[in-house]
Amino acid sequence: MGENNTIRGQSRNSIVTGNKNEVINGINNAIVTGTSGEATADNSTVLGGNNPTDALGKRQSIRVMFGKQTTGAATVASNLNNTAASYFEIPDNTILYFHASCLAVRVGGTSVSGAVGDYWSAIERGVAINKSGTLSIQRERDVIKTSGTTSGWVASAAVSGTTFRVNVRGANNMTLEWACDVKFTQIKTGVAL
């Protein structure tokens, strides 16, 4: 609905309302509203906060989910939509404020420490910036609430190559399910940073 909206090829099941919004090629199940919003990730919600003369995706809010199951104490990258090797791409010369609400719950494992149902929650937030192809990040974390044996459990935002991800770490012999709801506030500058 609206005017001048575009859904590129190989995209399915998206809802687009407003003006001059776009779902890029191959993106599914996105919701885009507002003006000049650009959906670049499956299962994302995008609010374009631009006037009709602004460049596509210049100012927007993006919401995505990361997920992972861990069974050990190694730090691993969680995945966008819990899809293997899927992360959030940060365009060149773009800055993002991120706010990640992260939750982990123990669902199994042989460790005698703790029990199924133990949980850990935190807020991870900060800024990631892509300066002409070089990413950097500044971040902080606040643990919100925990219950049971959660020693060593952690989620931390990171960048690698041109992607943003949330790394997670559990504990040996504990099966944990992780979910991180991430909201980005984006400015795509259009100039070399």
Side-chain angles (χ1 to χ4, degrees), residues 71 106 108-114 172-175:
T71 57
R106 183 172 174 187
T110 60
S111 176
V112 294
S113 297
N172 288 326
N173 303 313
M174 291 185 186
T175 303

Side-chain angles (χ1 to χ4, degrees), residues 118-133:
D118 291 353
Y119 64 84
W120 177 94
S121 64
I123 300 295
E124 178 80 1
R125 61 186 173 259
V127 174
I129 187 167
N130 183 336
K131 293 183 177 182
S132 301

Side-chain angles (χ1 to χ4, degrees), residues 28-110:
N28 299 313
N29 307 313
I31 298 172
V32 187
T33 191
T35 302
S36 297
E38 179 183 32
T40 62
D42 285 347
N43 305 319
S44 61
T45 302
V46 178
L47 172 60
N50 302 289
N51 70 51
T53 61
D54 283 334
L56 185 65
K58 183 173 185 174
R59 291 176 196 87
Q60 62 186 21
S61 172
I62 307 161
R63 195 163 189 176
V64 298
M65 286 292 296
F66 285 80
K68 189 73 172 179
Q69 184 181 83
T70 59
T71 57
T75 299
V76 295
S78 65
N79 303 116
L80 189 59
N81 302 311
N82 200 32
T83 301
S86 180
Y87 312 107
F88 187 81
E89 292 283 334
I90 301 177
D92 277 354
N93 304 309
T94 298
I95 186 167
L96 300 168
Y97 168 78
F98 61 88
H99 186 101
S101 301
C102 297
L103 178 64
V105 63
R106 183 172 174 187
V107 296
T110 60

